[in-house]
């Protein structure tokens, strides 16, 4: 394999060595935050949810934060492959028009346009997501506590400064500022333990679906928080990646695997842990995880030698065509990831191709 790398925790690697990897082995699929980086996972998403996983009949938990939640919600729509293609094209071609005289959009303006996009994409289709026969969706959000309980010009930066400082000492201390709130398909139990971090679970219903998804994508200072989501505790809700950047969760499945299409090997716990390299190492939480990620050498062949990311909005500035071309090329080249995974499956899932996570 030249484009794809497969990593696995010790229990998952033993499973592959003994049984290979089959659709019926998959119990949970996480979807990470990470913005445009998720574009390279489109072809794998289409293969997994449009072809491979439908070969089994059991229930699967889909756990997502930020763009990962949006991707996995698409998996629950009736015409999955078309939904993924529309999502990819819409994300690549997104463009926020600046009103005359403005140098940049306010968080309120970005949130307004983003919310309109979500309503347009899912309008009238929420029942498809919530009523999927097999997939149980879990959308992770970060709810502010105390000073972060409401958004404000002064209290928000002060609150996040406090969260950053205390989190750098101990991850659990982040719970004094924020809590994990998971909006789940009604009746679905959480597929992970919650002793690591303060957690609430709320039913995901038509009245809160789009708001929960918008909250899960609401990056602090770039978008406004979503306040007082119906059916959930009052307060300000932000991007689920703040508490759970890459879904480094205590997956409790005693059998099968957690299959994770990801854009890198490391599964970073929270957004504020990005610079804390000692928290990027695997733990026992990931023992049954299989990560599908691009090879770093292959990534260097993409435009600008990297995955698409939010810095491209600055890099390309008003050159909309240039950014669209770069992102489209990366998405097209990513078909190799899906092709190599399908080939590995067809050739018997050789454990020699699986690297330790």
């Amino acid at each position: 394999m030249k484009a794809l790398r497969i990593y696995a925790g010790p229990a998952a690697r033993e499973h592959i060595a003994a049984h290979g990897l089959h659709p019926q082995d998959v119990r949970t699929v996480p979807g990470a935050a990470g913005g445009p980086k998720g574009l390279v996972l489109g072809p794998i998403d289409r293969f997994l949810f449009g072809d491979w996983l439908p070969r089994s009949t059991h229930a699967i938990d889909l756990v997502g934060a930020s763009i990962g939640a949006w991707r996995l919600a698409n998996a629950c729509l009736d015409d999955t492959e078309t939904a993924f293609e529309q999502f990819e094209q819409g994300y690549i071609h997104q463009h926020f028009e600046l009103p005359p005289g403005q140098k940049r959009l306010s968080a309120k303006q970005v949130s307004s346009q983003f919310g309109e996009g979500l309503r347009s994409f899912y309008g009238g289709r929420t029942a498809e997501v919530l009523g999927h026969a097999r997939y149980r969706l879990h959308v992770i959000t970060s709810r502010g506590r105390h000073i972060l309980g409401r958004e404000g010009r002064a209290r928000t930066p002060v609150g996040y400064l406090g969260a950053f400082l205390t989190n750098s000492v101990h991850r659990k201390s982040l719970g004094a500022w924020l809590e994990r709130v998971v909006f789940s398909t009604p009746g679905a139990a959480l597929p992970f333990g919650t002793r690591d971090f303060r957690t609430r679970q709320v039913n995901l219903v038509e009245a809160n679906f789009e708001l929960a998804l918008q909250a899960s994508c609401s990056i602090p200072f770039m978008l406004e928080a979503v306040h007082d989501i119906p059916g959930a505790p009052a307060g300000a809700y932000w991007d689920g990646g703040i508490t759970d950047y890459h879904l480094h969760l205590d997956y409790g499945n005693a059998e099968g695997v957690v299959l994770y299409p990801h854009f890198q090997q490391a599964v970073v716990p929270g957004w504020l842990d990005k610079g804390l390299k000692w928290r990027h190492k695997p733990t026992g939480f990931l023992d049954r995880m299989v990560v599908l990620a691009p090879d770093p050498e292959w990534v260097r062949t993409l435009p600008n030698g990297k995955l698409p990311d939010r810095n491209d909005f600055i890099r390309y500035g008003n050159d909309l065509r240039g950014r669209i071309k770069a992102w489209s090329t990366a998405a097209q080249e990513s078909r190799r990831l899906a092709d190599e995974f399908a080939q590995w499956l067809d050739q018997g899932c050789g454990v020699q191709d699986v690297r330790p996570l």
Side-chain angles (χ1 to χ4, degrees):
M1 289 183 283
K2 295 182 178 180
L4 178 70
R5 282 190 178 184
I6 302 175
Y7 305 92
R13 202 169 190 278
E14 288 178 10
H15 177 97
I16 293 171
H19 309 288
L21 185 63
H22 305 280
Q24 58 267 29
D25 297 329
V26 179
R27 298 293 184 271
T28 305
V29 179
K37 295 184 182 73
L39 288 171
V40 299
L41 303 176
I44 285 183
D45 286 339
R46 292 193 288 272
F47 171 70
L48 289 179
F49 293 104
D51 181 352
W52 194 62
L53 289 175
R55 301 176 199 178
S56 63
T57 58
H58 65 292
I60 302 176
D61 289 291
L62 311 181
V63 185
S66 199
I67 192 176
W70 194 349
R71 286 174 41 228
L72 295 177
N74 295 339
C76 301
L77 291 170
D78 291 345
D79 189 350
T80 302
E81 292 190 67
T82 298
F84 277 121
E85 289 169 359
Q86 292 173 340
F87 166 75
E88 180 180 287
Q89 290 305 306
Y91 200 97
I92 288 173
H93 290 83
Q94 65 181 302
H95 177 58
F96 296 97
E97 288 286 348
L98 275 173
Q102 277 190 230
K103 294 185 177 181
R104 58 177 296 176
L105 289 175
S106 67
K108 183 176 183 179
Q109 290 170 322
V110 176
S111 291
S112 176
Q113 292 191 39
F114 182 71
E116 289 176 8
L118 280 179
R119 288 188 291 275
S120 174
F121 193 90
Y122 289 104
R125 306 186 70 185
T126 304
E128 292 178 32
V129 177
L130 301 178
H132 197 283
R134 296 180 54 209
Y135 300 150
R136 301 173 296 206
L137 181 64
H138 306 271
V139 176
I140 295 181
T141 65
S142 303
R143 174 179 175 262
R145 302 185 66 222
H146 306 304
I147 192 173
L148 289 176
R150 311 300 294 184
E151 190 170 26
R153 181 172 296 181
R155 62 193 301 161
T156 300
V158 170
Y160 274 105
L161 176 61
F164 173 79
L165 293 174
T166 55
N167 176 76
S168 64
V169 177
H170 199 290
R171 172 165 160 76
K172 276 194 174 182
S173 67
L174 182 62
W177 307 88
L178 296 154
E179 66 180 4
R180 174 194 295 139
V181 178
V182 188
F183 291 81
S184 302
T185 299
L190 291 178
F192 52 86
T194 58
R195 290 185 296 176
D196 64 322
F197 199 77
R198 183 184 178 97
T199 303
R200 297 177 189 249
Q201 186 180 24
V202 175
N203 280 341
L204 186 63
V205 296
E206 290 209 32
N208 62 27
F209 171 76
E210 289 166 3
L211 290 173
L213 200 56
Q214 179 168 346
S216 188
C217 297
S218 292
I219 304 167
F221 310 110
M222 294 183 64
L223 286 86
E224 288 187 324
V226 177
H227 285 81
D228 305 332
I229 299 175
Y237 289 77
W238 279 281
D239 197 305
I242 302 171
T243 55
D244 296 288
Y245 190 43
H246 293 162
L247 295 310
H248 193 127
L249 300 167
D250 185 7
Y251 298 100
N253 50 309
E255 57 183 18
V257 300
V258 177
L259 183 62
Y260 193 180
H262 194 18
F263 42 78
Q264 62 181 46
Q265 176 185 359
V267 182
V268 181
W271 186 54
L272 300 177
D273 299 320
K274 289 191 293 183
L276 309 179
K277 298 299 184 183
W278 61 91
R279 293 192 188 164
H280 296 194
K281 298 177 180 179
T283 69
F285 285 3
L286 312 184
D287 281 355
R288 303 198 70 85
M289 179 176 283
V290 178
V291 172
L292 310 176
D295 186 306
E297 287 297 322
W298 174 80
V299 169
R300 282 190 271 274
T301 69
L302 298 178
N304 304 309
K306 65 176 186 61
L307 299 175
D309 61 38
R310 290 189 189 90
N311 291 328
D312 290 335
F313 287 108
I314 299 173
R315 175 191 291 267
Y316 288 97
N318 294 325
D319 183 10
L320 178 62
R321 289 185 179 181
R323 179 179 59 77
I324 289 175
K325 181 179 179 181
W327 285 13
S328 296
T329 299
Q332 291 165 5
E333 290 297 318
S334 299
R335 294 173 184 171
R336 295 181 59 181
L337 303 175
D339 291 343
E340 290 183 6
F341 181 58
Q343 185 178 35
W344 178 75
L345 293 170
D346 289 341
Q347 293 177 348
C349 309
V351 74
Q352 69 275 7
D353 296 315
V354 180
R355 302 167 186 250
L357 183 58

